[in-house]
Amino acid sequence: MGHSHITIHKKAFRPYLSVAQLDEAVTALAARLNADYAGREPLFVVVLTGAFMFASDLLKHITEPCEIVFIRVASYEGTGSSGVVQEIMGLREEVQGRHLIIVEDIVDTGTTMHHLVPKLQANGPASVEIATLFFKPESLRHKIDLRYVALEIPNDFVVGYGLDYDGLGRNLPDVYVAV
Ligand code: 5GP
């Protein structure tokens, strides 16, 4: 664990979660998924870019047969009632009848998942669940069903372990929080 503050784009961050703490939470979540998805051959849908490191560690602990795909979600302003249109890029796999597990870095307001889950559900999967590294309950603005959360955190900005601050910090093995 880095024990000292770091600076990214002139913003100060302090150490928040160590490699060991992250590993413990991610391993525990993988154990739950192994138990719940035994014999169901789930399809993990990893949302790039922020979830790449979490997904890598989580999936190394999945002992059940599974498939893994990577998607991107692009949001743009639309004229529909929600005001935001989301496009899923990279999902070429057959989703019909499959058990999907979305792998996300962080559920903050919940807007991303609020739009992504119905889009995936429209393709006729057997089930859709969300596995997120972080969840900020204080920020949530949508009603979403979050069954798999590795760590609940306060409403503060975090970087590292895949998450960035304006493009930097994704490579850090520990997680830091803005001071
Ligand atoms: P939501 O749609 O739930 O409001 O936000 C989800 C996205 O916001 C995450 O996938 C992530 O990219 C970004 N985000 C929310 N909170 C944080 C944070 O504390 N740190 C970083 N790096 N990104 C965040």
Side-chain angles (χ1 to χ4, degrees):
M1 174 78 161
H3 286 288
S4 44
H5 287 52
I6 58 166
T7 303
I8 302 175
H9 290 307
K10 295 184 179 162
K11 191 175 176 62
F13 292 86
R14 66 174 167 80
Y16 183 53
L17 291 163
S18 68
V19 168
Q21 287 170 308
L22 291 162
D23 182 61
E24 189 186 329
V26 171
T27 304
L29 186 61
R32 288 182 55 204
L33 290 167
N34 281 327
D36 292 356
Y37 285 87
R40 295 164 84 189
E41 209 167 281
L43 175 61
F44 286 93
V45 179
V46 182
V47 183
L48 294 173
T49 299
F52 83 95
M53 212 176 268
F54 166 52
S56 173
D57 286 345
L58 180 78
L59 291 160
K60 277 185 267 185
H61 293 289
I62 298 298
T63 51
E64 294 296 316
C66 63
E67 285 187 58
I68 304 161
V69 297
F70 295 87
I71 65 162
R72 279 178 186 280
V73 289
S75 305
Y76 55 92
E77 294 298 315
T79 52
S81 54
S82 77
V84 181
V85 180
Q86 262 202 1
E87 212 179 343
I88 304 173
M89 289 173 296
L91 190 66
R92 283 178 289 271
E93 277 67 18
E94 184 57 68
V95 159
Q96 181 95 32
R98 302 294 305 274
H99 293 283
L100 307 189
I101 304 167
I102 301 169
V103 181
E104 174 66 312
D105 56 355
I106 178 162
V107 174
D108 183 25
T109 64
T111 304
T112 307
M113 289 302 111
H114 177 74
H115 288 97
L116 180 61
V117 172
K119 278 247 156 74
L120 291 173
Q121 246 144 11
N123 296 315
S127 65
V128 181
E129 295 293 347
I130 300 163
T132 188
L133 171 64
F134 293 131
F135 173 41
K136 295 180 179 175
E138 294 160 28
S139 309
L140 195 64
R141 282 201 253 124
H142 300 273
K143 199 180 175 310
I144 50 173
D145 189 7
L146 265 189
R147 189 166 302 178
Y148 301 104
V149 176
L151 291 156
E152 286 194 5
I153 62 171
N155 192 12
D156 298 315
F157 190 80
V158 291
V159 290
Y161 196 60
L163 289 101
D164 75 312
Y165 171 48
D166 202 6
L168 295 178
R170 294 193 197 277
N171 55 305
L172 299 166
D174 309 298
V175 170
Y176 295 77
V177 65
V179 290

